Amino acid sequence: MPAHNSKTEHGCQDDKIIDIQSEEKGIIDIQSEEKGIIDIQSEDTGITETSESHQSSSFPDGGWRAWLVVMGAMCNVFSTFGFVNSWGTFQAYYQQGILKDTSPSNIAWIGSIQYSLVFLPGIFVGRLFDLGYFRSILSTSSVLLIAATFLVAQCTRYWHFVLCQGIVIGIAAGGIFGPTIAIIGHWFHRRRGLAMGWVSVGSSLGGTLLPIAANKLIAAVGFPWTMRIIGFILIITLGVANLTLKRRLPPVNVAGGLLNLQAFKYAPFTAYCSSAFFSFLGIYTVLTYVSVSALELGISESLSFYLLSMANASSIFGRLLSGLLSDRCGILFIMHSFYNLTNEIS
């Protein structure tokens, strides 16, 4: 009898173990089904959601190779946004020199086209970057930007400047700028704000040094050789960028076509894109007209040309500070804080 009872007890225990294992398996199956539902929802919008801990652990977030990428990206931003942010100097020079018979508003269209085309190609270039195209886009756009800069030296008519400095330089800068910003996300996650802050410093350095160089060189060697010298500077900076920038993550073929309009079904993404769109509508107006406005207000020519460089130089501190704080306080919180501060000052 005791032996029989012992077997019965063991049998009951085995049944309980089997029941517990079955319940655990059922829970795992439910979790798997829930995960499948999340994956399907992500596919509908074309947006993949991954846990924070998994993302952070899979990124270098430092090391000599990652910071080398940051240096190359900084050189690219120097050559694109730094160059484009120097437009105020060219606006003032064209009004007083080569294009003095053209209205200031028409001349401003050259700079406006530049600014718009730095961003506009990103709609297509970003998608190509996701599919794995990077090196071909970067090298082609670099050659086009350098060639267009040398061609500006030969321009004499308004439509020449619109074509070379407005359209071609704008498209080339856009082809470089979009992938450059995206590639930082391959190497940084937890410290991405700091990395992006250093990358954006390239824009401040370009917008500080190039206007001063252009102003001094135009007086010393004339406009054509000024543009050629800027072209040689771009050969160096873009050469460094092409040698140091490198993808790390494999291509991602997200459903939705070239534009992937389905991504706008994701409300936070749509809200962010809309706010960024309206923010950039007026952010560069001051940089475009600061030198011209200073001249009209009676400020000396020698000082007015430096106002653009002063504005770009002072932005270095804001770029680094916002990048550092965004990693600790959150990106949107820092953006809103600086937006409010800018509105109060304006």
Side-chain angles (χ1 to χ4, degrees), residues 1 67 142 148 150 158 175-176 208 217 242:
M1 289 295 293
W67 288 113
S142 298
F150 279 99
Y158 174 71
I176 296 170
T208 301
L217 288 170
N242 277 267

Side-chain angles (χ1 to χ4, degrees), residues 106-117:
N106 286 338
I107 296 174
W109 270 106
I110 304 171
S112 299
I113 293 171
Q114 268 189 329
Y115 279 121
S116 65
L117 290 179

Side-chain angles (χ1 to χ4, degrees), residues 90-101:
F90 294 102
Q91 171 88 24
Y93 173 73
Y94 292 159
Q95 284 185 211
Q96 298 177 346
I98 300 176
L99 301 176
K100 60 183 179 181
D101 295 329

Side-chain angles (χ1 to χ4, degrees), residues 171-290:
I171 291 175
I176 296 170
F177 179 72
T180 297
I181 298 303
I183 208 168
I184 298 300
H186 281 212
W187 297 88
F188 290 87
H189 179 71
R190 183 174 53 85
R191 304 173 70 186
R192 188 175 297 172
L194 178 61
M196 290 298 298
W198 278 110
V199 170
S200 64
V201 166
S203 175
S204 298
L205 292 176
T208 301
L209 300 177
L210 292 178
I212 295 176
N215 186 37
K216 294 293 184 180
L217 288 170
I218 287 173
V221 298
F223 178 76
W225 266 106
T226 296
M227 296 307 300
R228 295 185 187 111
I229 292 172
I230 292 176
F232 288 122
I233 294 173
L234 295 183
I235 289 175
I236 297 173
T237 54
L238 291 174
V240 171
N242 277 267
L243 292 174
T244 55
L245 290 179
K246 180 183 178 181
R247 291 179 63 101
R248 188 184 69 89
L249 300 177
V252 179
N253 188 7
V254 180
L258 184 60
L259 297 179
N260 192 18
L261 297 178
Q262 291 183 352
F264 290 98
K265 294 180 180 179
Y266 188 59
F269 175 76
T270 302
Y272 175 79
C273 289
S274 300
S275 62
F277 174 84
F278 287 106
S279 297
F280 278 105
L281 280 178
I283 196 171
Y284 293 109
T285 305
V286 174
L287 296 180
T288 301
Y289 291 105
V290 61

Side-chain angles (χ1 to χ4, degrees), residues 193-194 197-198 200-201 314-329 334 338 341:
L194 178 61
W198 278 110
S200 64
V201 166
S314 62
S315 69
I316 293 176
F317 304 102
R319 294 173 191 271
L320 288 177
L321 181 62
S322 61
L324 181 63
L325 292 177
S326 65
D327 289 332
R328 301 185 179 186
C329 305
I334 298 302
F338 276 88
L341 178 62

Side-chain angles (χ1 to χ4, degrees), residues 4-32:
H4 177 72
N5 291 338
S6 176
K7 290 180 180 179
T8 305
E9 290 176 359
H10 283 298
C12 293
Q13 290 178 357
D14 291 339
D15 291 340
K16 290 180 179 179
I17 293 172
I18 292 172
D19 291 340
I20 292 172
Q21 291 176 341
S22 299
E23 290 178 0
E24 291 178 348
K25 184 176 183 301
I27 293 172
I28 293 173
D29 290 340
I30 293 172
Q31 291 175 341
S32 299

